[in-house]
Amino acid sequence: MGNITLKNVRKAFGDAVIIPDASLDIRNGEFVVFVGPSGCGKSTLLRLIAGLEDLTSGQIFIDGKDVSDIPPAQRGLSMVFQSYALYPHMSVRNNIGFGLKMAGLPKDEIDAKVAKAAATLNLTDYLERKPRQLSGGQRQRVAIGRAIVRQPKAFLFDEPLSNLDAALRVNMRVEIMQLHQDLGTTMIYVTHDQVEAMTMANRIVVLNKGNIEQVGSPLELYNKPDSLFVAGFIGSPKMNFITGPVAAAHKAATLGIRPEHINVVKGKGEWQGTIHFAEHLGADSFLHVDTVQAGRLTVRAPGDFEGRPGEAIALKPETVRMHRFDEKGLAIR
Amino acid sequence: MATQHTRSLGRIAVAPSVIALFLWMIVPLGMTIYFSFLRYNLLDPGNESFIGLINYQYFLTDPAFLKALGNSLKIVGSVLAISVIGGTLLALLLDQAIYGRNFVRLMVIAPFFVMPTVSALVWKNMMMHPVSGLLAWLTTRLGFEPIDWFAHYPLAAVVIIVAWQWLPFATLILLTALQSMDEEQKEAAEMDGTPPLSYFRHMVLPHLARPITVVVLIETIFLLNVFAEIYVTGSGGRAGNMPYLVYFQGLLNFDVGGASAGGIIAVILANIVAFFLMRMIGKNLEG
């Protein structure tokens, strides 16, 4: 089981309050992603759950038991670190088995568990190697192997893919999702990459300056962002924000519309402008348009769109997919 | 860019210093070798004559030789043990976040900057003196007889003085190494539930293997040459090591030929020690 509950969790280093007040329920078997810009407290929150940082106030429960004052090793959680944090002078075998050895398991049992983990992660051929003899992806796998042999109640991942190159990152992303499917264990995953968050999560927790801005499934966050911050953070390219008379006409302080919800039309359209830049990605073209009414907008056009910088263009937003926000940046529904 | 051209230019550029250093080494060595084959006594100047290996034979069969060799090894071994073990413990202590850490570190490093002659005098007259020394005061306060270090345990006294000087060096090197330990690795060990002693054995010691090797190599070179501490404290008679024996032959017996032979033997022995040392622990420096 791996139900994790945070109750009014607060963390401050001296006068610097990192997390003012966070409450959250993570259900057994869920894949939860903490996402937010750097410095938003997502890693701190994870480390609080792990027990690597002490709570300033509040409580953390694992399966209903208050673990706030229990040392990390006894919380039954495993963590995968950003730098992998492998033990450099131990072989892969000993790296994976070290936690079990410290727990005092008999040697043959450790060997069996290590062998099983290694087989799951395709590491069997590398068991005798040292970490420095492995590639980035293999090191990542060893770090995961070290986590799974302990059969934890939950896995904690602290930006585990940020040291890998782009192609490998996509592969490892799939592998971690596969692992989650196979093990069915709760996973908490910290990332600053909203694409990782969208693709992997059952539920996403968006953090901003230590506050939980919104919790929801990827599509909930995409379709119904509660605030300007979430709206701007989820989705790529970023949502367009329009202020002034255009927003006022829709009875909002700020009007948000995603690039994919603005269509390029023939004739006059709703907004007129000139193309400033065009990014051709093959499947899509992203146009940066200076409009007369709404200022600079990003617009997604089909891949075969042939507009050139300087050309005049007419745009028509999908009115139903507009997001309205008040002066405080909260959504109006 | 190491092209053919720049490489030969580089060789020419470093040549003067290499030549100077080579001469610096080879001239004294050559002269020592030359003197070691002569009957050369300062009480009988002008009558030098070639006598082959006689000087070596006398030096090696002198009972003082084995004793000096033993003392040399004892000093090196004991000081190495004290400075490596003590240095590791001190480094672990200083790696903690304690109040006034920078000042404490400075104080710990300080003995390394004291001249050997000065520290030997201070230890002999202010610390270990059986009447007016601090240690004597301490032992009498505790109700024991004061120890006359240089009368009864001259070798131990020399070892203490030299260890006091070299402990800071080991501490400094090992402390720097400790500070470069990966934070996340510590946390991973914490997640794995590693108790402090296992953490030390499985994480810290392997991490320190290389800096300890460096400390052992460097200290061995210097400790084989300890002289001032023995000479100044006047404990050469019983705690004299190889350098002291060479001094004794040359400047107290006025036998330059014998002293030169002893110097050459000391060089050869040092090389043998260095060879085995490199063989034993040199592999720590690879990879």
PDB file of all heavy atoms in Angstrom, chain A residues 47 52 72-73 77 81-83 85 87-90 98-99 101-102 146 150, chain B residues 182 184-185 187-195 198 202-203 206-207 287:
ATOM      1  N   ARG A  47      11.426  15.940  -0.852  1.00  0.00           N
ATOM      2  CA  ARG A  47      12.408  15.585   0.181  1.00  0.00           C
ATOM      3  C   ARG A  47      11.761  15.543   1.570  1.00  0.00           C
ATOM      4  O   ARG A  47      12.206  14.802   2.441  1.00  0.00           O
ATOM      5  CB  ARG A  47      13.569  16.573   0.158  1.00  0.00           C
ATOM      6  CG  ARG A  47      14.398  16.452  -1.128  1.00  0.00           C
ATOM      7  CD  ARG A  47      15.277  17.658  -1.335  1.00  0.00           C
ATOM      8  NE  ARG A  47      16.162  17.840  -0.192  1.00  0.00           N
ATOM      9  CZ  ARG A  47      17.304  17.196  -0.033  1.00  0.00           C
ATOM     10  NH1 ARG A  47      17.699  16.354  -0.943  1.00  0.00           N
ATOM     11  NH2 ARG A  47      18.036  17.407   1.010  1.00  0.00           N
ATOM     12  N   LEU A  52      14.209  13.477   4.087  1.00  0.00           N
ATOM     13  CA  LEU A  52      15.552  14.056   4.012  1.00  0.00           C
ATOM     14  C   LEU A  52      15.569  15.481   4.550  1.00  0.00           C
ATOM     15  O   LEU A  52      16.620  16.026   4.869  1.00  0.00           O
ATOM     16  CB  LEU A  52      16.060  14.033   2.566  1.00  0.00           C
ATOM     17  CG  LEU A  52      16.302  12.649   1.999  1.00  0.00           C
ATOM     18  CD1 LEU A  52      16.597  12.700   0.521  1.00  0.00           C
ATOM     19  CD2 LEU A  52      17.448  11.977   2.736  1.00  0.00           C
ATOM     20  N   PRO A  72      14.252   8.559   7.314  1.00  0.00           N
ATOM     21  CA  PRO A  72      13.933   8.191   5.936  1.00  0.00           C
ATOM     22  C   PRO A  72      13.884   6.690   5.681  1.00  0.00           C
ATOM     23  O   PRO A  72      12.956   6.202   5.030  1.00  0.00           O
ATOM     24  CB  PRO A  72      15.060   8.824   5.123  1.00  0.00           C
ATOM     25  CG  PRO A  72      15.783   9.726   6.018  1.00  0.00           C
ATOM     26  CD  PRO A  72      15.313   9.555   7.402  1.00  0.00           C
ATOM     27  N   ALA A  73      14.883   5.955   6.208  1.00  0.00           N
ATOM     28  CA  ALA A  73      14.979   4.539   5.851  1.00  0.00           C
ATOM     29  C   ALA A  73      13.778   3.749   6.342  1.00  0.00           C
ATOM     30  O   ALA A  73      13.423   2.725   5.772  1.00  0.00           O
ATOM     31  CB  ALA A  73      16.266   3.953   6.432  1.00  0.00           C
ATOM     32  N   LEU A  77      10.067   4.124   1.729  1.00  0.00           N
ATOM     33  CA  LEU A  77      10.051   4.767   0.420  1.00  0.00           C
ATOM     34  C   LEU A  77      11.422   4.603  -0.237  1.00  0.00           C
ATOM     35  O   LEU A  77      12.427   4.431   0.439  1.00  0.00           O
ATOM     36  CB  LEU A  77       9.756   6.263   0.576  1.00  0.00           C
ATOM     37  CG  LEU A  77       8.519   6.629   1.390  1.00  0.00           C
ATOM     38  CD1 LEU A  77       8.447   8.140   1.571  1.00  0.00           C
ATOM     39  CD2 LEU A  77       7.265   6.132   0.694  1.00  0.00           C
ATOM     40  N   PHE A  81      17.599   9.757  -7.437  1.00  0.00           N
ATOM     41  CA  PHE A  81      18.108  11.127  -7.393  1.00  0.00           C
ATOM     42  C   PHE A  81      18.447  11.636  -8.785  1.00  0.00           C
ATOM     43  O   PHE A  81      18.697  10.872  -9.708  1.00  0.00           O
ATOM     44  CB  PHE A  81      19.360  11.188  -6.522  1.00  0.00           C
ATOM     45  CG  PHE A  81      19.087  10.938  -5.072  1.00  0.00           C
ATOM     46  CD1 PHE A  81      19.087   9.646  -4.565  1.00  0.00           C
ATOM     47  CD2 PHE A  81      18.820  11.983  -4.216  1.00  0.00           C
ATOM     48  CE1 PHE A  81      18.833   9.413  -3.228  1.00  0.00           C
ATOM     49  CE2 PHE A  81      18.561  11.765  -2.878  1.00  0.00           C
ATOM     50  CZ  PHE A  81      18.576  10.483  -2.387  1.00  0.00           C
ATOM     51  N   GLN A  82      18.498  12.961  -8.858  1.00  0.00           N
ATOM     52  CA  GLN A  82      18.811  13.596 -10.135  1.00  0.00           C
ATOM     53  C   GLN A  82      20.196  13.191 -10.642  1.00  0.00           C
ATOM     54  O   GLN A  82      20.381  12.883 -11.803  1.00  0.00           O
ATOM     55  CB  GLN A  82      18.747  15.115  -9.970  1.00  0.00           C
ATOM     56  CG  GLN A  82      19.029  15.850 -11.251  1.00  0.00           C
ATOM     57  CD  GLN A  82      18.786  17.344 -11.105  1.00  0.00           C
ATOM     58  OE1 GLN A  82      18.524  17.845 -10.030  1.00  0.00           O
ATOM     59  NE2 GLN A  82      18.852  18.038 -12.221  1.00  0.00           N
ATOM     60  N   SER A  83      21.172  13.165  -9.711  1.00  0.00           N
ATOM     61  CA  SER A  83      22.536  12.797 -10.130  1.00  0.00           C
ATOM     62  C   SER A  83      22.741  11.285 -10.028  1.00  0.00           C
ATOM     63  O   SER A  83      23.860  10.827 -10.115  1.00  0.00           O
ATOM     64  CB  SER A  83      23.538  13.504  -9.228  1.00  0.00           C
ATOM     65  OG  SER A  83      23.476  12.960  -7.929  1.00  0.00           O
ATOM     66  N   ALA A  85      23.295   9.438  -7.820  1.00  0.00           N
ATOM     67  CA  ALA A  85      23.902   9.176  -6.512  1.00  0.00           C
ATOM     68  C   ALA A  85      24.274   7.716  -6.328  1.00  0.00           C
ATOM     69  O   ALA A  85      24.060   7.135  -5.280  1.00  0.00           O
ATOM     70  CB  ALA A  85      22.961   9.635  -5.386  1.00  0.00           C
ATOM     71  N   TYR A  87      26.874   4.625  -5.707  1.00  0.00           N
ATOM     72  CA  TYR A  87      28.093   4.540  -4.917  1.00  0.00           C
ATOM     73  C   TYR A  87      29.231   4.196  -5.877  1.00  0.00           C
ATOM     74  O   TYR A  87      29.276   3.101  -6.424  1.00  0.00           O
ATOM     75  CB  TYR A  87      27.938   3.491  -3.831  1.00  0.00           C
ATOM     76  CG  TYR A  87      26.672   3.658  -3.000  1.00  0.00           C
ATOM     77  CD1 TYR A  87      25.829   2.593  -2.746  1.00  0.00           C
ATOM     78  CD2 TYR A  87      26.326   4.907  -2.512  1.00  0.00           C
ATOM     79  CE1 TYR A  87      24.675   2.762  -1.997  1.00  0.00           C
ATOM     80  CE2 TYR A  87      25.177   5.087  -1.765  1.00  0.00           C
ATOM     81  CZ  TYR A  87      24.349   4.018  -1.506  1.00  0.00           C
ATOM     82  OH  TYR A  87      23.219   4.202  -0.784  1.00  0.00           O
ATOM     83  N   PRO A  88      30.171   5.139  -6.098  1.00  0.00           N
ATOM     84  CA  PRO A  88      31.107   5.021  -7.227  1.00  0.00           C
ATOM     85  C   PRO A  88      32.062   3.835  -7.138  1.00  0.00           C
ATOM     86  O   PRO A  88      32.510   3.330  -8.154  1.00  0.00           O
ATOM     87  CB  PRO A  88      31.874   6.344  -7.198  1.00  0.00           C
ATOM     88  CG  PRO A  88      31.677   6.899  -5.834  1.00  0.00           C
ATOM     89  CD  PRO A  88      30.367   6.380  -5.337  1.00  0.00           C
ATOM     90  N   HIS A  89      32.378   3.382  -5.916  1.00  0.00           N
ATOM     91  CA  HIS A  89      33.389   2.341  -5.781  1.00  0.00           C
ATOM     92  C   HIS A  89      32.774   0.968  -5.615  1.00  0.00           C
ATOM     93  O   HIS A  89      33.467   0.015  -5.324  1.00  0.00           O
ATOM     94  CB  HIS A  89      34.265   2.675  -4.582  1.00  0.00           C
ATOM     95  CG  HIS A  89      33.462   3.299  -3.493  1.00  0.00           C
ATOM     96  ND1 HIS A  89      32.689   2.557  -2.660  1.00  0.00           N
ATOM     97  CD2 HIS A  89      33.233   4.603  -3.194  1.00  0.00           C
ATOM     98  CE1 HIS A  89      32.029   3.379  -1.863  1.00  0.00           C
ATOM     99  NE2 HIS A  89      32.334   4.632  -2.156  1.00  0.00           N
ATOM    100  N   MET A  90      31.438   0.880  -5.785  1.00  0.00           N
ATOM    101  CA  MET A  90      30.799  -0.427  -5.682  1.00  0.00           C
ATOM    102  C   MET A  90      30.336  -0.870  -7.061  1.00  0.00           C
ATOM    103  O   MET A  90      29.970  -0.040  -7.894  1.00  0.00           O
ATOM    104  CB  MET A  90      29.558  -0.335  -4.785  1.00  0.00           C
ATOM    105  CG  MET A  90      29.852  -0.155  -3.337  1.00  0.00           C
ATOM    106  SD  MET A  90      28.289  -0.231  -2.443  1.00  0.00           S
ATOM    107  CE  MET A  90      28.739   0.617  -0.961  1.00  0.00           C
ATOM    108  N   PHE A  98      22.865  -2.813  -1.769  1.00  0.00           N
ATOM    109  CA  PHE A  98      23.393  -2.198  -0.545  1.00  0.00           C
ATOM    110  C   PHE A  98      22.315  -1.956   0.513  1.00  0.00           C
ATOM    111  O   PHE A  98      22.514  -2.246   1.693  1.00  0.00           O
ATOM    112  CB  PHE A  98      24.110  -0.893  -0.872  1.00  0.00           C
ATOM    113  CG  PHE A  98      24.865  -0.318   0.288  1.00  0.00           C
ATOM    114  CD1 PHE A  98      26.029  -0.918   0.734  1.00  0.00           C
ATOM    115  CD2 PHE A  98      24.403   0.803   0.947  1.00  0.00           C
ATOM    116  CE1 PHE A  98      26.724  -0.408   1.806  1.00  0.00           C
ATOM    117  CE2 PHE A  98      25.095   1.324   2.028  1.00  0.00           C
ATOM    118  CZ  PHE A  98      26.255   0.720   2.453  1.00  0.00           C
ATOM    119  N   GLY A  99      21.177  -1.445   0.068  1.00  0.00           N
ATOM    120  CA  GLY A  99      20.090  -1.163   1.011  1.00  0.00           C
ATOM    121  C   GLY A  99      19.621  -2.430   1.709  1.00  0.00           C
ATOM    122  O   GLY A  99      19.348  -2.424   2.914  1.00  0.00           O
ATOM    123  N   LYS A 101      21.449  -5.110   2.193  1.00  0.00           N
ATOM    124  CA  LYS A 101      22.515  -5.528   3.088  1.00  0.00           C
ATOM    125  C   LYS A 101      22.427  -4.749   4.393  1.00  0.00           C
ATOM    126  O   LYS A 101      22.559  -5.315   5.480  1.00  0.00           O
ATOM    127  CB  LYS A 101      23.860  -5.252   2.401  1.00  0.00           C
ATOM    128  CG  LYS A 101      25.042  -5.843   3.099  1.00  0.00           C
ATOM    129  CD  LYS A 101      26.290  -5.668   2.242  1.00  0.00           C
ATOM    130  CE  LYS A 101      27.529  -5.636   3.096  1.00  0.00           C
ATOM    131  NZ  LYS A 101      28.690  -5.137   2.368  1.00  0.00           N
ATOM    132  N   MET A 102      22.156  -3.444   4.281  1.00  0.00           N
ATOM    133  CA  MET A 102      22.032  -2.617   5.480  1.00  0.00           C
ATOM    134  C   MET A 102      20.809  -3.036   6.306  1.00  0.00           C
ATOM    135  O   MET A 102      20.786  -2.899   7.515  1.00  0.00           O
ATOM    136  CB  MET A 102      21.912  -1.140   5.096  1.00  0.00           C
ATOM    137  CG  MET A 102      23.206  -0.534   4.618  1.00  0.00           C
ATOM    138  SD  MET A 102      24.494  -0.621   5.877  1.00  0.00           S
ATOM    139  CE  MET A 102      25.677  -1.700   5.116  1.00  0.00           C
ATOM    140  N   ARG A 146      18.153   0.102  -7.662  1.00  0.00           N
ATOM    141  CA  ARG A 146      18.392   0.278  -6.234  1.00  0.00           C
ATOM    142  C   ARG A 146      17.083   0.609  -5.520  1.00  0.00           C
ATOM    143  O   ARG A 146      16.881   0.235  -4.367  1.00  0.00           O
ATOM    144  CB  ARG A 146      19.398   1.410  -6.054  1.00  0.00           C
ATOM    145  CG  ARG A 146      20.027   1.448  -4.721  1.00  0.00           C
ATOM    146  CD  ARG A 146      21.241   2.325  -4.722  1.00  0.00           C
ATOM    147  NE  ARG A 146      20.893   3.713  -4.996  1.00  0.00           N
ATOM    148  CZ  ARG A 146      21.791   4.701  -5.010  1.00  0.00           C
ATOM    149  NH1 ARG A 146      23.051   4.451  -4.828  1.00  0.00           N
ATOM    150  NH2 ARG A 146      21.417   5.922  -5.251  1.00  0.00           N
ATOM    151  N   ARG A 150      14.027  -2.701  -2.890  1.00  0.00           N
ATOM    152  CA  ARG A 150      13.557  -2.536  -1.505  1.00  0.00           C
ATOM    153  C   ARG A 150      12.049  -2.693  -1.410  1.00  0.00           C
ATOM    154  O   ARG A 150      11.492  -2.610  -0.333  1.00  0.00           O
ATOM    155  CB  ARG A 150      13.990  -1.178  -0.976  1.00  0.00           C
ATOM    156  CG  ARG A 150      15.495  -1.037  -0.991  1.00  0.00           C
ATOM    157  CD  ARG A 150      15.935   0.302  -0.484  1.00  0.00           C
ATOM    158  NE  ARG A 150      15.430   0.544   0.855  1.00  0.00           N
ATOM    159  CZ  ARG A 150      15.031   1.733   1.286  1.00  0.00           C
ATOM    160  NH1 ARG A 150      15.077   2.758   0.494  1.00  0.00           N
ATOM    161  NH2 ARG A 150      14.599   1.868   2.519  1.00  0.00           N
TER     162      ARG A 150
ATOM    163  N   ASP B 182      29.792  13.666  -2.485  1.00  0.00           N
ATOM    164  CA  ASP B 182      28.529  14.011  -3.115  1.00  0.00           C
ATOM    165  C   ASP B 182      27.392  14.038  -2.082  1.00  0.00           C
ATOM    166  O   ASP B 182      27.179  13.059  -1.382  1.00  0.00           O
ATOM    167  CB  ASP B 182      28.256  12.960  -4.202  1.00  0.00           C
ATOM    168  CG  ASP B 182      27.008  13.280  -4.972  1.00  0.00           C
ATOM    169  OD1 ASP B 182      26.579  14.442  -4.920  1.00  0.00           O
ATOM    170  OD2 ASP B 182      26.467  12.361  -5.621  1.00  0.00           O
ATOM    171  N   GLU B 184      24.150  14.097  -2.580  1.00  0.00           N
ATOM    172  CA  GLU B 184      23.060  13.171  -2.903  1.00  0.00           C
ATOM    173  C   GLU B 184      23.432  11.742  -2.541  1.00  0.00           C
ATOM    174  O   GLU B 184      22.578  10.942  -2.199  1.00  0.00           O
ATOM    175  CB  GLU B 184      22.676  13.278  -4.388  1.00  0.00           C
ATOM    176  CG  GLU B 184      21.920  14.552  -4.692  1.00  0.00           C
ATOM    177  CD  GLU B 184      21.105  14.474  -5.976  1.00  0.00           C
ATOM    178  OE1 GLU B 184      21.468  13.674  -6.864  1.00  0.00           O
ATOM    179  OE2 GLU B 184      20.129  15.230  -6.098  1.00  0.00           O
ATOM    180  N   GLN B 185      24.755  11.446  -2.627  1.00  0.00           N
ATOM    181  CA  GLN B 185      25.198  10.112  -2.248  1.00  0.00           C
ATOM    182  C   GLN B 185      24.976   9.875  -0.757  1.00  0.00           C
ATOM    183  O   GLN B 185      24.549   8.797  -0.349  1.00  0.00           O
ATOM    184  CB  GLN B 185      26.672   9.997  -2.578  1.00  0.00           C
ATOM    185  CG  GLN B 185      27.130   8.591  -2.805  1.00  0.00           C
ATOM    186  CD  GLN B 185      28.577   8.603  -3.178  1.00  0.00           C
ATOM    187  OE1 GLN B 185      28.978   9.251  -4.131  1.00  0.00           O
ATOM    188  NE2 GLN B 185      29.385   7.922  -2.409  1.00  0.00           N
ATOM    189  N   GLU B 187      22.654  11.250   0.916  1.00  0.00           N
ATOM    190  CA  GLU B 187      21.213  11.098   1.105  1.00  0.00           C
ATOM    191  C   GLU B 187      20.743   9.726   0.637  1.00  0.00           C
ATOM    192  O   GLU B 187      19.859   9.128   1.255  1.00  0.00           O
ATOM    193  CB  GLU B 187      20.483  12.205   0.360  1.00  0.00           C
ATOM    194  CG  GLU B 187      20.722  13.548   1.014  1.00  0.00           C
ATOM    195  CD  GLU B 187      20.139  14.695   0.232  1.00  0.00           C
ATOM    196  OE1 GLU B 187      19.669  14.485  -0.907  1.00  0.00           O
ATOM    197  OE2 GLU B 187      20.158  15.815   0.745  1.00  0.00           O
ATOM    198  N   ALA B 188      21.357   9.248  -0.441  1.00  0.00           N
ATOM    199  CA  ALA B 188      20.995   7.910  -0.910  1.00  0.00           C
ATOM    200  C   ALA B 188      21.324   6.884   0.167  1.00  0.00           C
ATOM    201  O   ALA B 188      20.546   5.965   0.434  1.00  0.00           O
ATOM    202  CB  ALA B 188      21.737   7.592  -2.201  1.00  0.00           C
ATOM    203  N   ALA B 189      22.485   7.065   0.802  1.00  0.00           N
ATOM    204  CA  ALA B 189      22.871   6.160   1.879  1.00  0.00           C
ATOM    205  C   ALA B 189      21.885   6.268   3.034  1.00  0.00           C
ATOM    206  O   ALA B 189      21.550   5.275   3.685  1.00  0.00           O
ATOM    207  CB  ALA B 189      24.282   6.483   2.355  1.00  0.00           C
ATOM    208  N   GLU B 190      21.413   7.483   3.262  1.00  0.00           N
ATOM    209  CA  GLU B 190      20.436   7.692   4.330  1.00  0.00           C
ATOM    210  C   GLU B 190      19.131   6.966   3.994  1.00  0.00           C
ATOM    211  O   GLU B 190      18.521   6.328   4.848  1.00  0.00           O
ATOM    212  CB  GLU B 190      20.191   9.190   4.487  1.00  0.00           C
ATOM    213  CG  GLU B 190      19.700   9.584   5.859  1.00  0.00           C
ATOM    214  CD  GLU B 190      19.519  11.096   5.978  1.00  0.00           C
ATOM    215  OE1 GLU B 190      20.183  11.828   5.220  1.00  0.00           O
ATOM    216  OE2 GLU B 190      18.697  11.522   6.803  1.00  0.00           O
ATOM    217  N   MET B 191      18.711   7.062   2.738  1.00  0.00           N
ATOM    218  CA  MET B 191      17.492   6.370   2.313  1.00  0.00           C
ATOM    219  C   MET B 191      17.672   4.857   2.446  1.00  0.00           C
ATOM    220  O   MET B 191      16.729   4.129   2.709  1.00  0.00           O
ATOM    221  CB  MET B 191      17.144   6.697   0.852  1.00  0.00           C
ATOM    222  CG  MET B 191      16.737   8.113   0.570  1.00  0.00           C
ATOM    223  SD  MET B 191      15.194   8.638   1.339  1.00  0.00           S
ATOM    224  CE  MET B 191      13.981   7.674   0.479  1.00  0.00           C
ATOM    225  N   ASP B 192      18.907   4.394   2.200  1.00  0.00           N
ATOM    226  CA  ASP B 192      19.190   2.966   2.308  1.00  0.00           C
ATOM    227  C   ASP B 192      19.315   2.525   3.758  1.00  0.00           C
ATOM    228  O   ASP B 192      19.573   1.358   4.029  1.00  0.00           O
ATOM    229  CB  ASP B 192      20.482   2.622   1.551  1.00  0.00           C
ATOM    230  CG  ASP B 192      20.201   2.303   0.091  1.00  0.00           C
ATOM    231  OD1 ASP B 192      19.039   2.008  -0.219  1.00  0.00           O
ATOM    232  OD2 ASP B 192      21.133   2.356  -0.728  1.00  0.00           O
ATOM    233  N   GLY B 193      19.195   3.472   4.677  1.00  0.00           N
ATOM    234  CA  GLY B 193      19.248   3.123   6.092  1.00  0.00           C
ATOM    235  C   GLY B 193      20.630   2.723   6.556  1.00  0.00           C
ATOM    236  O   GLY B 193      20.787   1.786   7.323  1.00  0.00           O
ATOM    237  N   THR B 194      21.672   3.441   6.086  1.00  0.00           N
ATOM    238  CA  THR B 194      23.030   3.078   6.446  1.00  0.00           C
ATOM    239  C   THR B 194      23.383   3.640   7.817  1.00  0.00           C
ATOM    240  O   THR B 194      23.349   4.847   8.001  1.00  0.00           O
ATOM    241  CB  THR B 194      24.018   3.657   5.421  1.00  0.00           C
ATOM    242  OG1 THR B 194      23.428   3.531   4.133  1.00  0.00           O
ATOM    243  CG2 THR B 194      25.327   2.935   5.448  1.00  0.00           C
ATOM    244  N   PRO B 195      23.743   2.794   8.792  1.00  0.00           N
ATOM    245  CA  PRO B 195      24.180   3.328  10.082  1.00  0.00           C
ATOM    246  C   PRO B 195      25.532   4.032   9.933  1.00  0.00           C
ATOM    247  O   PRO B 195      26.284   3.730   8.999  1.00  0.00           O
ATOM    248  CB  PRO B 195      24.293   2.090  10.967  1.00  0.00           C
ATOM    249  CG  PRO B 195      24.181   0.918  10.078  1.00  0.00           C
ATOM    250  CD  PRO B 195      23.713   1.346   8.744  1.00  0.00           C
ATOM    251  N   SER B 198      28.758   1.963   9.191  1.00  0.00           N
ATOM    252  CA  SER B 198      28.756   1.367   7.852  1.00  0.00           C
ATOM    253  C   SER B 198      28.951   2.441   6.798  1.00  0.00           C
ATOM    254  O   SER B 198      29.615   2.230   5.791  1.00  0.00           O
ATOM    255  CB  SER B 198      27.438   0.659   7.572  1.00  0.00           C
ATOM    256  OG  SER B 198      27.187  -0.285   8.550  1.00  0.00           O
ATOM    257  N   HIS B 202      31.780   1.998   4.157  1.00  0.00           N
ATOM    258  CA  HIS B 202      31.443   1.711   2.763  1.00  0.00           C
ATOM    259  C   HIS B 202      31.468   2.942   1.856  1.00  0.00           C
ATOM    260  O   HIS B 202      31.585   2.812   0.644  1.00  0.00           O
ATOM    261  CB  HIS B 202      30.058   1.067   2.667  1.00  0.00           C
ATOM    262  CG  HIS B 202      30.000  -0.290   3.282  1.00  0.00           C
ATOM    263  ND1 HIS B 202      30.590  -1.386   2.699  1.00  0.00           N
ATOM    264  CD2 HIS B 202      29.454  -0.734   4.433  1.00  0.00           C
ATOM    265  CE1 HIS B 202      30.394  -2.451   3.470  1.00  0.00           C
ATOM    266  NE2 HIS B 202      29.706  -2.073   4.524  1.00  0.00           N
ATOM    267  N   MET B 203      31.286   4.126   2.427  1.00  0.00           N
ATOM    268  CA  MET B 203      31.247   5.327   1.588  1.00  0.00           C
ATOM    269  C   MET B 203      32.474   6.216   1.803  1.00  0.00           C
ATOM    270  O   MET B 203      33.146   6.603   0.863  1.00  0.00           O
ATOM    271  CB  MET B 203      30.009   6.182   1.907  1.00  0.00           C
ATOM    272  CG  MET B 203      28.733   5.429   1.978  1.00  0.00           C
ATOM    273  SD  MET B 203      28.129   5.067   0.327  1.00  0.00           S
ATOM    274  CE  MET B 203      27.304   3.546   0.655  1.00  0.00           C
ATOM    275  N   PRO B 206      36.317   4.401   1.176  1.00  0.00           N
ATOM    276  CA  PRO B 206      36.692   4.270  -0.230  1.00  0.00           C
ATOM    277  C   PRO B 206      36.914   5.622  -0.895  1.00  0.00           C
ATOM    278  O   PRO B 206      37.794   5.784  -1.723  1.00  0.00           O
ATOM    279  CB  PRO B 206      35.489   3.553  -0.852  1.00  0.00           C
ATOM    280  CG  PRO B 206      34.806   2.886   0.270  1.00  0.00           C
ATOM    281  CD  PRO B 206      35.037   3.735   1.472  1.00  0.00           C
ATOM    282  N   HIS B 207      36.122   6.605  -0.464  1.00  0.00           N
ATOM    283  CA  HIS B 207      36.285   7.946  -1.033  1.00  0.00           C
ATOM    284  C   HIS B 207      37.626   8.545  -0.626  1.00  0.00           C
ATOM    285  O   HIS B 207      38.242   9.285  -1.385  1.00  0.00           O
ATOM    286  CB  HIS B 207      35.123   8.829  -0.555  1.00  0.00           C
ATOM    287  CG  HIS B 207      35.166  10.217  -1.101  1.00  0.00           C
ATOM    288  ND1 HIS B 207      34.787  10.520  -2.389  1.00  0.00           N
ATOM    289  CD2 HIS B 207      35.559  11.385  -0.548  1.00  0.00           C
ATOM    290  CE1 HIS B 207      34.942  11.808  -2.596  1.00  0.00           C
ATOM    291  NE2 HIS B 207      35.406  12.359  -1.502  1.00  0.00           N
ATOM    292  N   GLY B 287      42.986   5.412 -12.368  1.00  0.00           N
ATOM    293  CA  GLY B 287      41.549   5.451 -12.657  1.00  0.00           C
ATOM    294  C   GLY B 287      40.787   6.418 -11.828  1.00  0.00           C
ATOM    295  O   GLY B 287      40.240   6.213 -10.864  1.00  0.00           O
TER     296      GLY B 287
END
